[in-house]
Amino acid sequence: MNKSENNYKKFLLLWAGELISSIGGGLTSFGLGIYIFQKTGSASGMAFMTLLAFLPGLLLKVPAGVLADRYDRRLLMMIGDGCSGLGVLFILLCMMRGEAELWQIYLGVIISSVFSALLEPAYTATITDILTKEQYSKANGLVSMAGSARYLFSPVIAGFLLAVSDIKLILIIDIGTFFLTILSAAVVRKNLETKPIEVEASFVESIKEGWKAVTVKKGLFLLIVISSVITLFMGVFQVLAEPFVLSFSNAKVLGIVETVAASGMLVTSVILGIKGIKKNYANKLTLGLMIAGFGMSGFAMLQNVYVAGTFGFLFFAALPIANNSLDYLARTNIPDELQGRAWGFIGFISQSGYVLAYGLSGVIADGIGNLTGGGVGKGASITIIISGILLAVIALAMGSVKSIRKLEE
């Protein structure tokens, strides 16, 4: 496939669709989190919802990656985006009949997660399809910005919507975003030449090839494994930041704090989208993760919205640097024809840390809160601070690993 400068415009259209999808998904995630916290009063309920939203997609990443190398990637994106809206629609219908039960919310979240699993490997591999290596860093900055939208725009929008309406309006808006994202993928698919896919290997053999692609280089595999530990600590912050702030504030203030914090990712993503990163990816990966760990710990030091917003800004500002560097080190060490199935394995391994975080962080925070007598806020604070310190330590140790640094060669 000829990767021309015009293809960057097609990427921008595809990215715009995912930006809208991210905002819609963030609205629903924020709204359902508040809804469950108000019903249960614990961090465990919110954490369990996050786990159910994540786990099916994680388990399906590898087969979804193989599908991305065997079938039309843009079509898979359309199917994944469109059908994931069925879960949100199910929750909406349950709420329109009365107050939704927790199991109904959990079921709808699972349905969305299953179909969303088709999206990520196909989207990531499509970026490799249409862009040159020189464009990767700039594109990754924009991808990080789209990912930050669920934290930057969604919380404050959802906070104000909940102040004037209820969760049903948020779900309706999210469902509407699916049509726009499908349309953007359809337009790109129509105007982008798709190289014919010749399937010779069996499905199982394709999976083996994907595994070989991520394990053939020691540094690449080690980087992916370490990433799973990093996502463990980041997952703790993702789950417990909301109940921590809610323990001394309300949903509207929480939305503002999350937006202020996530604006750090916007600032850095814009800079990376314009300039990109040219060299020293391993060093910048270490630096970004260490700053993120420092920001995590500072976020939960005091029950103060200004402190939380400031250190949250620092945490999110560091993420695009780390994500951009990690993405480049992995992407440039995998053959183009194996990108889909390789990213399926990369996603499965590196994000497995989230499973432990989502499954245990809420329980740990509630337990510490009961033990200290400080409630869920105190428990969340202690857990977040410890996780931030450990993240910084792991990042510092990773920076000295020679096999990871050699990936830049």
Side-chain angles (χ1 to χ4, degrees), residues 336-347:
D336 285 3
E337 66 274 11
L338 298 177
Q339 287 278 329
R341 68 202 87 171
W343 280 103
F345 272 109
I346 291 173

Side-chain angles (χ1 to χ4, degrees), residues 10 33 81 89 98 122 126 152 183 197 244 336:
K10 297 171 185 175
D81 254 332
L89 179 61
T126 292
L152 178 63
L183 179 62
I197 300 175
F244 169 69
D336 285 3

Side-chain angles (χ1 to χ4, degrees), residues 98-272:
E99 189 171 295
E101 300 294 332
L102 287 181
W103 73 266
Q104 293 172 327
I105 296 175
Y106 293 153
L107 178 58
V109 165
I110 291 173
I111 293 172
S112 289
S113 179
V114 167
F115 287 106
S116 293
L118 289 175
L119 175 63
E120 186 176 334
Y123 180 49
T124 305
T126 292
I127 294 174
T128 305
D129 280 345
I130 63 180
L131 299 181
T132 64
K133 287 186 177 181
E134 291 73 21
Q135 295 170 329
Y136 286 167
S137 185
K138 291 171 61 178
N140 288 335
L142 293 175
V143 171
S144 294
M145 185 193 304
S148 72
R150 66 186 298 113
Y151 306 107
L152 178 63
F153 304 113
S154 302
V156 69
I157 294 173
F160 280 103
L161 288 176
L162 290 174
V164 300
S165 185
D166 59 19
I167 183 67
K168 292 191 286 293
L169 176 60
I170 287 177
L171 298 179
I172 291 172
I173 293 174
D174 186 17
I175 292 172
T177 64
F178 289 109
F179 294 100
L180 296 176
T181 54
I182 293 172
L183 179 62
S184 67
V187 172
V188 171
R189 180 172 182 258
K190 181 180 179 181
N191 294 281
L192 183 66
E193 179 185 355
T194 303
K195 55 186 177 183
I197 300 175
E198 299 179 1
V199 180
E200 298 180 356
S202 67
F203 198 87
V204 174
E205 289 174 338
S206 295
I207 290 179
K208 291 180 179 179
E209 290 174 353
W211 175 253
K212 183 178 180 180
V214 300
T215 57
V216 67
K217 293 186 177 181
K218 179 182 177 181
L220 176 60
F221 186 64
L222 185 58
L223 177 65
I224 297 168
V225 172
I226 293 176
S227 297
S228 68
V229 180
I230 293 170
T231 56
L232 167 62
F233 301 131
M234 288 189 172
V236 170
F237 181 73
Q238 182 179 341
V239 170
L240 298 182
E242 290 186 355
F244 169 69
V245 176
L246 287 173
S247 68
F248 61 90
S249 187
N250 56 51
K252 185 176 180 180
V253 173
L254 171 62
I256 296 173
V257 170
E258 285 198 21
T259 295
V260 170
S263 63
M265 184 179 282
L266 175 64
V267 171
T268 310
S269 296
V270 169
I271 295 174
L272 292 179

Side-chain angles (χ1 to χ4, degrees), residues 314-345:
L314 187 63
F315 169 80
F316 279 102
L319 290 187
I321 299 173
N323 291 336
N324 194 307
S325 301
L326 194 153
D327 184 281
Y328 183 89
L329 292 173
R331 190 185 299 277
T332 55
N333 283 276
I334 299 171
D336 285 3
E337 66 274 11
L338 298 177
Q339 287 278 329
R341 68 202 87 171
W343 280 103
F345 272 109

Side-chain angles (χ1 to χ4, degrees), residues 50-62:
T50 307
L51 174 63
L52 292 179
F54 177 76
L55 188 57
L58 177 68
L59 296 176
L60 294 172
K61 279 187 184 295
V62 173

Side-chain angles (χ1 to χ4, degrees), residues 250-310:
N250 56 51
K252 185 176 180 180
V253 173
L254 171 62
I256 296 173
V257 170
E258 285 198 21
T259 295
V260 170
S263 63
M265 184 179 282
L266 175 64
V267 171
T268 310
S269 296
V270 169
I271 295 174
L272 292 179
I274 297 173
K275 294 186 176 181
I277 297 177
K278 307 300 182 183
K279 58 183 179 178
N280 298 325
Y281 290 91
N283 289 338
K284 289 182 173 64
L285 173 59
T286 298
L287 178 62
L289 292 174
M290 290 183 66
I291 295 174
F294 177 71
M296 278 178 60
S297 296
F299 178 91
M301 282 290 184
L302 299 172
Q303 290 190 343
N304 183 290
V305 294
Y306 299 105
V307 172
T310 300

